[in-house]
Amino acid sequence: MINPSKKGKTKMQSFALNTIFILISLSYLSIVVSSSKPLNPCNGDFLHTQAYRQMQNQTNTTHCKKLSSLQAQFAWNYHKTSHNQTQLNILIGTKSITNMGWLAWGINPDLPRMVGTRAIIAVKVPNQITPSVNTYNITKDIQLGCKFQPSGIDFMVQNMTVVDDKDVGFFSVFATLVLPQRYNVSSLNHVWQVGYCVDGLEPKMHETSLGNLDSKEVLDLETGDCQNIGQHRRHMRKIHGILNIIGWGTLMPIGVIVARYFKQFPIKLDPCWYYFHYCCQVVGYILGTAGWGLGLFLGHESKYYTFHSHRVLGICIFGFTTLQILAFQFKPTQEDEYRKHWNVYHHFLGYALLVMIPVNIYKGIKLLKPNNITWKWTYNGILVLLGVVVLALEIVTWAIFLYKKCCKKTVEEPSPRRVEIEEDNKGQTKEGSSSRTIEVQE
């Protein structure tokens, strides 16, 4: 005969797996749909810069698009030369640089990444009349901190010009490139970057925000369509965040609330509370672990940039939640002498997780700046809702507790015992004498 409790667990596990499968399928579909993005036109400010108008006057086939990060916009046109090479005119601008900094744009013949890029970098320092611009080879040694000096690259670059248009606030770089055949114009790996630290005229390390990591894409110069590598990572980060917020940040706290307030006091729902508690913890663990694994993959993809505290906290949370799930399998019976030690361990680890999980979620949200307002307010709303529920249940708990305590005290108070004593006129009791009633306190 099948044990009803085991049957209930099996149904809950099946429901959990189906839910997880649906979430992962929808996440994968969102990535596939967004894998290619059409041209996102430039805004009016960039189109009114002097550099763009000069470029537009050269040909009527100029493409212009907003890049996906660092407030950058990019315009280009190209044609084939008589030697079967490609002459490419490019203009890139950003509003991020004000008093000091540098703007870089480049192409990589192998992969859409910074290492191996042939770059054009313009450097702006205070009190400089004309910003400097040079070509650079970006090697692995540069990212490890070696000195960054101008160098020749494997194609011809002409007409390098820097335009600091203070009227519209754009700092722009224009150049003409003559690309050999190895550079495929229908699938061009181009990257861009913005930094704010300069040593003399040497560009120093840029920030390690997610916007700086996402500044790369594969561009079709003919149509303007792009395969945005950074966009893929942003979608994966969204999935990572959603899975962890739902799994670790919502379902697991709900499981704790159920165990705290529906086990015995103030509301006893036995054994339903245990099934719901178990289901919340298991589903939350699986979703959170899936998000954690995706986070490890994203960290592995960013070889040179690691968010140490977010990563370490994530590993600790995974370890603690795994111990909590294993605790269900090794739970002693009520009569077991080790049950009280198990309870202490289980409760301590659970409440420690309730502190660690929100801290790490907020650390992850902070990494998404400046596009993290929606994430922050959404999770704020979840925490406020959970907090209101806990506060309401806590008030009910104390109200019931104090009420029962008051009632119990009233019941236990000694009541006076009425005793009839017959007394004669002399105060002695005897049969037939008149009687009077007195109260004796026990």
Side-chain angles (χ1 to χ4, degrees):
M1 188 173 181
I2 299 175
N3 188 328
S5 63
K6 290 184 178 179
K7 188 176 180 181
K9 278 188 181 181
T10 303
K11 287 184 177 180
M12 287 188 293
Q13 289 172 348
S14 176
F15 171 76
L17 291 174
N18 290 335
T19 304
I20 292 162
F21 176 76
I22 292 171
L23 286 172
I24 292 175
S25 299
L26 291 173
S27 301
Y28 176 76
L29 181 62
S30 70
I31 291 178
V32 172
V33 170
S34 63
S35 60
S36 180
K37 286 207 142 191
L39 190 68
N40 184 15
C42 297
N43 63 24
D45 288 346
F46 187 72
L47 298 178
H48 288 95
T49 59
Q50 181 182 356
Y52 180 81
R53 289 198 300 268
Q54 290 176 352
M55 186 177 183
Q56 180 68 15
N57 290 334
Q58 296 177 7
T59 175
N60 293 325
T61 59
T62 298
H63 296 279
C64 191
K65 62 171 292 188
K66 290 180 183 178
L67 298 177
S68 59
S69 64
L70 304 178
Q71 302 180 43
Q73 303 195 45
F74 181 62
W76 75 94
N77 58 59
Y78 79 100
H79 66 270
K80 291 289 184 179
T81 68
S82 57
H83 300 289
N84 204 26
Q85 294 178 321
T86 302
Q87 181 172 311
L88 173 64
N89 300 312
I90 65 99
L91 174 68
I92 184 168
T94 181
K95 284 188 172 183
S96 299
I97 299 173
T98 54
N99 295 325
M100 182 175 70
W102 52 268
L103 170 64
W105 178 89
I107 54 179
N108 192 317
D110 303 315
L111 293 169
R113 64 181 184 185
M114 196 63 68
V115 175
T117 294
R118 284 69 164 159
I120 301 168
I121 302 180
V123 178
K124 179 182 179 181
V125 295
N127 303 320
Q128 185 183 26
I129 298 175
T130 304
S132 64
V133 58
N134 280 292
T135 58
Y136 295 78
N137 265 312
I138 301 177
T139 64
K140 187 180 296 185
D141 296 334
I142 302 301
Q143 287 199 331
L144 295 176
C146 295
K147 196 170 180 63
F148 196 22
Q149 296 292 342
S151 61
I153 54 179
D154 62 357
F155 53 82
M156 185 184 301
V157 181
Q158 302 170 334
N159 305 326
M160 288 189 296
T161 308
V162 181
V163 181
D164 189 9
D165 199 332
K166 292 182 173 59
D167 293 335
V168 292
F170 269 95
F171 182 73
S172 307
V173 178
F174 173 83
T176 299
L177 290 61
V178 181
L179 303 178
Q181 295 183 22
R182 64 180 297 203
Y183 291 92
N184 186 358
V185 295
S186 63
S187 182
L188 190 68
N189 304 315
H190 82 120
V191 300
W192 61 97
Q193 197 57 259
V194 171
Y196 304 102
C197 187
V198 176
D199 183 8
L201 293 178
E202 180 188 358
K204 304 303 287 186
M205 182 64 185
H206 58 77
E207 293 181 354
T208 56
S209 70
L210 296 179
N212 294 89
L213 305 184
D214 291 341
S215 56
K216 62 198 73 173
E217 65 185 18
V218 180
L219 178 65
D220 185 343
L221 296 179
E222 179 65 33
T223 64
D225 292 341
C226 67
Q227 182 186 356
N228 196 318
I229 309 302
Q231 187 74 10
H232 286 177
R233 289 182 178 174
R234 278 192 294 277
H235 276 276
M236 293 176 73
R237 287 188 207 113
K238 286 180 182 179
I239 296 169
H240 163 71
I242 290 171
L243 288 175
N244 285 115
I245 287 175
I246 294 175
W248 286 349
T250 306
L251 289 177
M252 282 197 160
I254 290 175
V256 174
I257 292 171
V258 170
R260 170 79 171 84
Y261 297 103
F262 297 94
K263 182 179 180 180
Q264 288 181 340
F265 195 83
I267 303 170
K268 187 173 182 179
L269 296 176
D270 196 20
C272 295
W273 77 267
Y274 176 76
Y275 293 142
F276 197 75
H277 172 67
Y278 179 83
C279 186
C280 284
Q281 300 304 87
V282 170
V283 175
Y285 173 76
I286 296 174
L287 291 178
T289 301
W292 173 75
L294 188 56
L296 288 182
F297 172 77
L298 289 168
H300 177 73
E301 288 292 296
S302 302
K303 294 181 180 179
Y304 302 99
Y305 313 106
T306 303
F307 305 104
H308 294 284
S309 59
H310 186 57
R311 182 186 182 93
V312 170
L313 270 176
I315 292 172
C316 291
I317 291 170
F318 168 73
F320 287 176
T321 52
T322 301
L323 290 175
Q324 288 289 73
I325 295 300
L326 290 175
F328 282 110
Q329 307 302 321
F330 301 103
K331 182 179 180 181
T333 61
Q334 290 286 358
E335 296 76 19
D336 198 311
E337 61 177 325
Y338 295 106
R339 179 58 180 264
K340 61 180 181 180
H341 303 297
W342 184 92
N343 286 340
V344 170
Y345 143 79
H346 189 61
H347 293 163
F348 173 78
L349 214 56
Y351 288 119
L353 283 168
L354 288 183
V355 175
M356 294 171 63
I357 287 171
V359 168
N360 204 35
I361 287 176
Y362 277 117
K363 279 185 174 291
I365 291 174
K366 187 177 180 181
L367 297 176
L368 298 174
K369 65 179 184 181
N371 303 314
N372 61 351
I373 303 300
T374 302
W375 288 91
K376 184 183 293 183
W377 283 107
T378 299
Y379 192 58
N380 285 346
I382 291 173
L383 289 186
V384 168
L385 181 60
L386 293 175
V388 168
V389 171
V390 169
L391 181 61
L393 289 171
E394 197 67 28
I395 291 173
V396 171
T397 299
W398 279 100
I400 294 175
F401 172 75
L402 294 174
Y403 174 77
K404 287 185 175 181
K405 186 177 180 181
C406 182
C407 291
K408 185 177 179 181
K409 185 177 180 181
T410 304
V411 171
E412 290 180 350
E413 280 184 355
S415 57
R417 183 164 58 89
R418 302 176 67 84
V419 181
E420 287 188 354
I421 302 178
E422 294 178 345
E423 295 179 327
D424 58 10
N425 293 332
K426 294 181 179 181
Q428 296 178 345
T429 61
K430 63 178 181 177
E431 293 184 5
S433 301
S434 61
S435 64
R436 67 185 180 90
T437 304
I438 63 173
E439 292 184 347
V440 179
Q441 186 73 36
E442 292 183 332

